[in-house]
Amino acid sequence: MIDLKNSDDFIGQIKRIESFPSQHIEARTVDVWLPTNYTTTKKYQVLYMHDGQMLFDAKTTWNKQEWGVDEKIDSLVQKKAMKEVIVVAIWNIPTQRHLNYFPQKALDFLSDSDKKTVLEEAKKNTIDYTQISSDNYLKFIVTELKPFVDSHFSVYTDYKNTAIMGSSMGGLISMYALCEYPTVFGKAACLSTHWIGLKNMENNPIPNAFFAYLQQKLPSPKTHKIYFDFGTATLDAAYVRYENEVNVILKAKGFDASNSKNLKFENADHTENSWNKRLEIPLQFLFK
């Protein structure tokens, strides 16, 4: 592990594993962010986050934007607005990102003709949906990464103290993780969830497949929490039409305001800057 200490670029410290090995997916960088006052004399909740290279340092991101996860958590903890956590930031591999993050079992809810349409549409975007690897990506997190984190850091290991968060495709895989591994993850935050799956297309069957999957697989509201949100500008505008369906599913599954959210942010676009501006809301929802 490489130690990155508190600097002008981030608060706290980062333990970096530059090529975390896996039997399930391509090795990738993993950053474990620890708060400034991290100590082994107490235990911390854990937040797993996708697109890990976009979370802490705008100087090194492709678009010079960041979530500002370290500053947001530090500020909320100091104000006693949330519990202390460590963040496990899993970097994406750009060429693998879509295939790693697209919920694999949702394809089973497509008719044969719709599945053919989706596969053909994906190929037009140079994506081969026969190579979707989200099940293996989650196996990596659950069977390889989490045991490493649990054994190397002072953390709670039960599902009630383990959360997962991401945006866009990262929102989809966070939702999928909660549904596939409810005994591992007790809460998920899905910002600007990419319900359209690919891109806007006429009679897109993918959102309904996601919703059918959710209706069947969402865990119990008595034990789990889930957060959704969306903006209304740029790519996020494509998600607005699905807000009612999300609300209907949450209500039908027994969720209420205490254990679920689906929030609209007017004029918010599909960028790290937008997610940074509202990050306090899902953080407090998960860890208040």
Side-chain angles (χ1 to χ4, degrees):
M1 281 190 288
I2 300 170
D3 286 350
L4 305 177
K5 298 295 186 182
N6 189 27
S7 71
D8 292 339
D9 299 324
F10 61 88
I11 296 169
Q13 60 178 309
I14 288 175
K15 304 286 189 179
R16 173 165 294 171
I17 304 97
E18 287 197 325
S19 186
F20 198 105
S22 174
Q23 296 181 355
H24 302 294
I25 57 169
E26 190 174 336
R28 64 200 59 212
T29 299
V30 173
D31 289 336
V32 180
W33 176 82
L34 307 174
T36 304
N37 61 346
Y38 174 79
T39 173
T40 56
T41 61
K42 61 182 177 183
K43 291 187 181 296
Y44 297 78
Q45 294 197 45
V46 185
L47 173 60
Y48 289 83
M49 295 189 70
H50 315 287
D51 297 316
Q53 62 264 56
M54 306 301 296
L55 303 182
F56 302 113
D57 184 6
K59 291 179 182 176
T60 61
T61 61
W62 68 269
N63 61 0
K64 305 307 176 188
Q65 298 182 29
E66 62 169 283
W67 285 61
V69 171
D70 48 329
E71 292 97 341
K72 295 293 184 180
I73 292 177
D74 184 70
S75 174
L76 289 169
V77 168
Q78 287 193 35
K79 292 186 288 190
K80 300 191 184 322
M82 70 172 283
K83 295 176 181 176
E84 291 183 291
V85 301
I86 75 166
V87 177
V88 181
I90 309 162
W91 287 37
N92 72 56
I93 296 175
T95 57
Q96 295 292 312
R97 183 176 182 270
H98 192 95
L99 297 172
N100 282 170
Y101 291 0
F102 189 100
Q104 199 160 341
K105 291 185 175 66
L107 291 176
D108 297 337
F109 291 85
L110 291 170
S111 67
D112 288 342
S113 61
D114 282 342
K115 189 176 292 188
K116 182 179 178 182
T117 299
V118 168
L119 290 173
E120 290 174 352
E121 194 67 30
K123 280 187 177 179
K124 293 177 186 176
N125 292 272
T126 66
I127 299 171
D128 183 359
Y129 267 15
T130 65
Q131 301 298 314
I132 286 176
S133 50
S134 53
D135 284 351
N136 279 339
Y137 177 72
L138 292 184
K139 285 179 185 175
F140 156 68
I141 296 174
V142 170
T143 68
E144 296 173 332
L145 181 56
K146 186 175 185 295
F148 174 86
V149 171
D150 291 350
S151 63
H152 284 75
F153 301 95
S154 185
V155 298
Y156 293 106
T157 61
D158 62 300
Y159 80 96
K160 292 180 180 178
N161 290 291
T162 306
I164 193 161
M165 180 189 291
S167 63
S168 193
M169 292 296 297
L172 287 177
I173 192 65
S174 298
M175 169 197 81
Y176 193 50
L178 188 79
C179 293
E180 290 296 300
Y181 291 96
T183 61
V184 176
F185 303 104
K187 38 202 177 183
C190 315
L191 286 68
S192 298
T193 310
H194 193 61
W195 296 117
I196 59 177
L198 277 163
K199 61 178 184 177
N200 272 331
M201 58 182 183
E202 194 173 344
N203 301 317
N204 185 356
I206 294 176
N208 285 336
F210 288 150
F211 297 141
Y213 171 84
L214 267 182
Q215 286 173 332
Q216 185 176 113
K217 297 287 287 187
L218 258 180
S220 171
K222 295 178 181 178
T223 51
H224 288 71
K225 301 177 75 171
I226 191 163
Y227 170 99
F228 294 108
D229 74 17
F230 56 97
T232 62
T234 65
L235 183 56
D236 273 40
Y239 311 145
V240 176
R241 61 182 293 187
Y242 302 111
E243 64 178 301
N244 185 61
E245 186 64 31
V246 175
N247 292 333
V248 168
I249 292 169
L250 290 172
K251 185 176 180 181
K253 297 292 286 187
F255 284 86
D256 58 29
S258 70
N259 46 38
S260 71
K261 303 287 181 193
N262 184 31
L263 305 179
K264 177 189 282 188
F265 292 89
E266 291 289 349
N267 302 315
D269 62 9
H270 197 82
T271 62
E272 282 74 19
N273 284 343
S274 287
W275 302 321
N276 169 276
K277 287 176 183 177
R278 62 184 190 258
L279 183 55
E280 292 99 334
I281 298 170
L283 283 173
Q284 289 181 88
F285 174 74
L286 297 180
F287 298 107
K288 193 162 186 177

